[in-house]
C-alpha cells in the first residue's frame, strides 16, 4: 500500500483554504435563498439578497467573500489502513505550511495572535493553531481533509442542564442563547446552529461546533426524534423576531443540527454553536495513488462516528 505523499496533503490543504474562503457551499447558498424567499420584512430580505450577490462576485473575482476570513482549522478523517509519508507528524506539518502559505497567497487575514502578548506571526500559525481534529473510518485507505474557516469570537454558549429539565429546558436554553446573541450583536446571522447534547462539557461543545460546521443544510439526524427536534428548533429560532444582521425579521436560522453523546446519569450538558453567514468549508479525499476528489459535503457524521455499541 503506497503512502500518501505529505506534499500532496500540503497542496490539497492549500487549495481547500482557497475554496473555503471564496466559494460558499451550494447547500448553504440554497438555504439562504430559501430564507430570503420566506422573509417578509424588507430590510432583512435586502440583506439576504446582497449576501447572495456578494458570494457571486467573490467567486467571479476569486477573492475571499468576507474581509474577516476567520480562524482556519482542519478536520481529518483517516481510513484505518491509510498511511502518510512521514507519518501523521508530517501531515500536521503539511497543514501548518499550507495555512501559512494560504494566508499570504489567497490572502487570508492573519487573525491568530498570542492571547496575552498579542504576538502575531502574520501567518495564522502558532501554539495550537491551526487546530486539527481527527476521526477514523474502518476499511478505508484514504484521508479526508476538511478545512473550516470559523469566526472565533461569538455565537456559542453552553449550559449544564439536568434530566428533569428535559426537552423543554433545552428549548428554553436554545431560545435564550439566540435572543441574547441576536440582541447584543454577538451573532452573524442567518446561521446554521449546531446543538450538542450530552457527554462532558468539552464533548457537547465539540459536537455543537461539528454539527454546525460539518453537516450540510438539508441533512437530518438519522434518529427520527432528533430530526423532529431539529425542525422544531429551527422554527422556534425563526419566530423570535430577529432576522438577518439583527434586523426585525424571520431569518435568523438557516438550519439546526442536533448531535448527541451518552452523558453522566445526573446531567444533560448542552452546547450551542452558530456557524455565521460565512459558512466556509471545503473537503477533499486524498487517495494513496495520488487521486484527489474535492467536494463540499464533509461527510463527517458517518455511521461509525455515531456508533453506539461496543464494536
Amino acid at each position: 500500500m503506497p503512502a500518501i505523499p505529505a506534499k500532496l496533503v500540503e497542496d490539497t490543504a492549500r487549495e481547500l483554504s482557497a475554496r473555503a474562503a471564496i466559494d460558499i457551499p451550494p447547500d448553504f447558498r440554497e438555504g439562504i435563498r430559501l430564507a430570503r424567499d420566506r422573509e417578509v420584512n424588507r430590510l432583512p430580505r435586502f440583506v439576504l439578497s446582497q449576501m447572495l450577490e456578494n458570494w457571486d462576485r467573490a467567486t467571479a473575482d476569486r477573492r475571499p467573500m468576507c474581509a474577516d476570513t476567520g480562524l482556519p482549522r482542519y478536520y481529518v478523517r483517516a481510513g484505518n489502513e491509510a498511511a502518510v509519508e512521514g507519518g501523521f507528524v508530517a501531515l500536521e506539518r503539511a497543514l501548518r505550511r499550507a495555512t501559512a502559505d494560504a494566508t499570504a497567497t489567497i490572502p487570508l487575514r492573519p487573525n491568530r495572535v498570542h492571547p496575552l502578548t498579542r504576538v502575531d506571526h502574520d501567518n495564522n500559525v502558532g501554539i495550537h493553531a491551526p487546530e486539527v481534529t481527527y476521526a477514523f473510518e474502518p476499511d478505508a485507505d484514504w484521508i479526508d481533509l476538511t478545512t473550516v474557516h470559523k469566526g472565533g469570537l461569538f455565537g456559542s454558549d453552553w449550559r449544564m442542564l439536568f434530566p428533569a429539565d428535559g426537552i423543554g429546558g433545552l428549548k428554553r436554553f436554545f431560545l435564550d442563547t439566540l435572543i441574547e446573541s441576536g440582541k447584543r450583536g454577538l451573532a452573524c446571522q442567518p446561521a446554521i446552529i449546531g446543538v450538542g447534547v450530552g457527554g462532558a462539557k468539552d464533548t457537547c461543545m465539540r459536537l455543537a461546533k461539528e454539527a454546525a460546521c460539518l453537516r450540510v443544510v438539508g441533512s437530518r439526524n438519522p434518529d427520527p426524534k432528533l430530526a423532529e427536534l431539529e425542525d422544531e428548533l429551527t422554527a422556534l429560532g425563526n419566530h423570535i423576531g430577529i432576522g438577518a444582521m439583527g434586523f426585525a425579521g424571520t431569518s435568523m436560522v438557516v438550519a439546526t443540527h442536533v448531535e448527541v453523546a451518552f452523558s453522566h446519569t445526573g446531567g444533560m450538558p448542552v452546547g450551542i454553536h452558530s456557524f455565521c453567514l460565512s459558512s466556509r468549508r471545503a473537503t477533499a479525499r486524498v487517495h494513496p495513488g495520488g487521486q484527489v476528489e474535492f467536494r463540499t459535503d464533509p461527510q463527517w457524521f458517518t455511521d461509525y462516528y455515531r456508533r453506539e455499541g461496543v464494536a
Side-chain angles (χ1 to χ4, degrees):
M1 182 73 66
I4 296 172
K7 184 62 166 60
L8 180 60
V9 172
E10 180 180 343
D11 293 343
T12 302
R14 186 186 306 108
E15 174 64 21
L16 287 173
S17 286
R19 295 185 182 216
I22 296 170
D23 301 313
I24 294 297
D27 62 281
F28 190 71
R29 282 176 176 260
E30 178 64 10
I32 292 297
R33 187 190 67 78
L34 292 173
R36 182 202 55 192
D37 293 346
R38 291 192 302 264
E39 180 61 71
V40 297
N41 293 279
R42 182 179 63 85
L43 282 176
R45 186 180 177 90
F46 171 78
V47 168
L48 295 169
S49 294
Q50 291 303 299
M51 287 169 54
L52 291 165
E53 182 178 339
N54 176 64
W55 295 343
D56 289 339
R57 294 192 178 192
T59 296
D61 294 344
R62 304 312 298 163
R63 296 182 180 181
M65 52 72 54
C66 182
D68 182 354
T69 53
L71 299 179
R73 64 178 299 135
Y74 296 94
Y75 292 89
V76 177
R77 173 174 298 283
N80 191 51
E81 285 75 46
V84 178
E85 179 187 38
F88 279 82
V89 169
L91 178 142
E92 291 195 339
R93 288 173 175 164
L95 297 181
R96 292 170 78 88
R97 286 193 299 267
T99 301
D101 188 54
T103 300
T105 59
I106 294 174
L108 305 178
R109 193 170 79 178
N111 282 334
R112 299 277 194 172
V113 301
H114 189 287
L116 299 178
T117 66
R118 313 313 284 178
V119 166
D120 183 353
H121 297 317
D122 203 34
N123 59 8
N124 281 310
V125 175
I127 301 171
H128 297 298
E131 298 93 341
V132 183
T133 300
Y134 293 93
F136 301 93
E137 196 71 15
D139 305 320
D141 59 3
W142 41 255
I143 288 178
D144 275 356
L145 298 176
T146 296
T147 188
V148 170
H149 296 182
K150 177 68 182 69
L153 298 178
F154 309 116
S156 63
D157 202 357
W158 95 286
R159 185 174 295 176
M160 177 57 77
L161 300 180
F162 297 96
D165 292 314
I167 299 296
L170 187 154
K171 292 176 182 176
R172 285 192 294 273
F173 175 44
F174 180 83
L175 290 177
D176 287 348
T177 301
L178 265 59
I179 292 170
E180 184 69 14
S181 61
K183 287 170 60 178
R184 297 176 60 199
L186 301 181
C188 192
Q189 68 265 7
I192 303 171
I193 310 296
V195 180
V197 186
K201 177 181 179 180
D202 59 330
T203 309
C204 72
M205 290 300 293
R206 173 179 59 80
L207 283 175
K209 177 174 279 191
E210 292 176 0
C213 300
L214 300 177
R215 280 181 52 187
V216 300
V217 175
S219 66
R220 295 170 63 83
N221 193 293
D223 183 325
K225 292 183 178 178
L226 293 180
E228 183 179 346
L229 177 61
E230 291 174 339
D231 293 340
E232 188 171 355
L233 291 175
T234 297
L236 288 171
N238 284 329
H239 284 81
I240 60 178
I242 303 176
M245 291 293 98
F247 293 110
T250 58
S251 51
M252 190 169 194
V253 181
V254 176
T256 305
H257 300 152
V258 178
E259 295 294 333
V260 301
F262 274 39
S263 60
H264 189 282
T265 183
M268 190 176 74
V270 179
I272 294 179
H273 192 92
S274 298
F275 199 4
C276 70
L277 66 89
S278 305
S279 289
R280 295 165 293 205
R281 53 173 154 78
T283 298
R285 177 163 294 178
V286 184
H287 295 272
Q291 309 97 316
V292 180
E293 302 165 354
F294 291 95
R295 63 178 193 267
T296 56
D297 181 355
Q299 300 174 14
W300 182 256
F301 288 95
T302 65
D303 291 341
Y304 181 75
Y305 193 63
R306 290 187 176 118
R307 65 195 184 280
E308 184 173 344
V310 174

